[in-house]
Amino acid sequence: MKGILLEFYKIRRRKIWVIILVLLGVQCLWGLWAFRDMDAKKLSQGYKQCLYHFSVLNTIMMPMIAAITASKICDPEHKGQTFKLLLTVMPAGTLFDAKFICASIYMMAVGAAQTIFIIILGKSAGFTEPFPPGFLLYYFIITVSVTVVILAIQQVFSLLFTNQMVSFVIGIIGSFAGLFSLFLPQNIQRGVLWSYYGVLTPVRMNWDSQTRIADLQYIPVDWSSFWQLMGLFAVIYFTGRRCFTRKER
């Protein structure tokens, strides 16, 4: 707990919230633009439309939010060259855990803000689809889960490399890789971590090539993909933590 509080104290003036709010604001503005002037059919699938489109949008935006947050939290020790000093009062593993928990709290806040925005958008736009609390909760859990796994990768690179551009490049490449993989078969998507926003989305689009009508529907939870994601998280987190603790400084 002391390590976590110390992390929040160190970043109190680094304006992480400002950057996150700007990127979150872009998502919200896109939502307001995309869901204006909806016809009766779209209103009847309003929440499905939101969950589907925001899952795709998260593939682009959330990795960048994770990359920026990890960089901002890990950069002070690089700039001040204080790793050796800091590790005299706490183990390297504890420092790694504290930074990750601190950054994860930000990711949970972003996921909660997105979910609340979808609820507000649905009420203000007049969605006629029944309110789906279970699927909104599932969307929140999946958004946070995928982002936290990506955050683990970003934190490892931010801690191991002094130049934070390495972490940013990883985030950018991941965003594009995740977006591109959404156009590929699901077996390939499951091999790209950044595509799991789309892999685990609670909504699927059915496209009828004859009528040229796209219809959205809720789908069962893909538990196999979810547990594969958790397995990836365990491998990434503990491997990255071990590399950090054994790094010479």
Side-chain angles (χ1 to χ4, degrees):
M1 287 302 299
K2 289 182 179 179
I4 297 169
L5 293 175
L6 179 61
E7 291 303 320
F8 279 109
Y9 180 79
K10 286 188 291 186
I11 61 174
R12 68 192 186 284
R13 295 180 180 177
R14 296 187 63 81
K15 299 180 180 179
I16 295 179
W17 275 116
V18 175
I19 301 172
I20 291 177
L21 287 175
V22 169
L23 294 175
L24 188 60
V26 171
Q27 287 185 308
C28 293
L29 289 174
W30 178 89
L32 292 173
W33 176 83
F35 294 98
R36 74 193 191 286
D37 300 329
M38 300 175 69
D39 57 27
K41 178 177 175 56
K42 290 183 177 179
L43 288 173
S44 67
Q45 294 190 330
Y47 290 108
K48 295 187 188 77
Q49 294 271 356
C50 281
L51 295 177
Y52 180 82
H53 288 290
F54 270 87
S55 294
V56 175
L57 193 61
N58 282 340
T59 305
I60 305 171
M61 302 292 293
M62 292 303 287
M64 293 308 304
I65 292 177
I68 292 170
T69 304
S71 176
K72 287 287 185 180
I73 289 178
C74 299
D75 194 41
E77 283 79 12
H78 287 299
K79 286 185 175 180
Q81 297 182 345
T82 56
F83 274 116
K84 287 184 177 180
L85 178 63
L86 191 58
L87 295 180
T88 60
V89 295
M90 70 169 62
T94 301
L95 177 62
F96 187 93
D97 297 337
K99 287 185 177 294
F100 181 77
I101 293 173
C102 176
S104 296
I105 291 173
Y106 282 99
M107 300 302 100
M108 291 180 64
V110 173
Q114 278 190 12
T115 307
I116 292 171
F117 175 76
I118 291 174
I119 295 173
I120 294 174
L121 181 61
K123 298 298 182 182
S124 60
F127 292 168
T128 56
E129 177 188 351
F131 183 71
F135 285 105
L136 286 169
L137 177 61
Y138 174 73
Y139 169 83
F140 167 74
I141 294 172
I142 292 305
T143 299
V144 174
S145 298
V146 178
T147 307
V148 163
V149 179
I150 294 173
L151 174 68
I153 291 181
Q154 297 295 154
Q155 177 171 307
V156 171
F157 281 100
S158 291
L159 286 173
L160 296 181
F161 293 91
T162 303
N163 187 350
Q164 294 302 300
M165 281 303 298
V166 175
S167 179
F168 289 140
V169 170
I170 295 296
I172 294 172
I173 293 175
S175 294
F176 281 104
L179 182 62
F180 177 75
S181 67
L182 294 180
F183 298 95
L184 302 176
Q186 190 172 25
N187 289 335
I188 298 177
Q189 293 179 23
R190 293 176 66 176
V192 181
L193 172 59
W194 291 265
S195 70
Y196 271 76
Y197 295 105
V199 172
L200 294 172
T201 180
V203 179
R204 281 285 185 270
M205 178 182 290
N206 293 322
W207 170 254
D208 191 326
S209 59
Q210 295 182 346
T211 62
R212 296 182 179 276
I213 296 177
D215 187 59
L216 297 173
Q217 64 179 14
Y218 291 118
I219 59 174
V221 178
D222 186 353
W223 287 113
S224 63
S225 295
F226 178 78
W227 292 119
Q228 181 173 319
L229 177 68
M230 293 298 100
L232 286 172
F233 171 70
V235 171
I236 293 167
Y237 188 85
F238 291 108
T239 301
R241 189 178 188 270
R242 187 168 183 267
C243 291
F244 175 68
T245 57
R246 300 186 65 177
K247 180 184 177 183
E248 295 184 3
R249 298 171 180 85

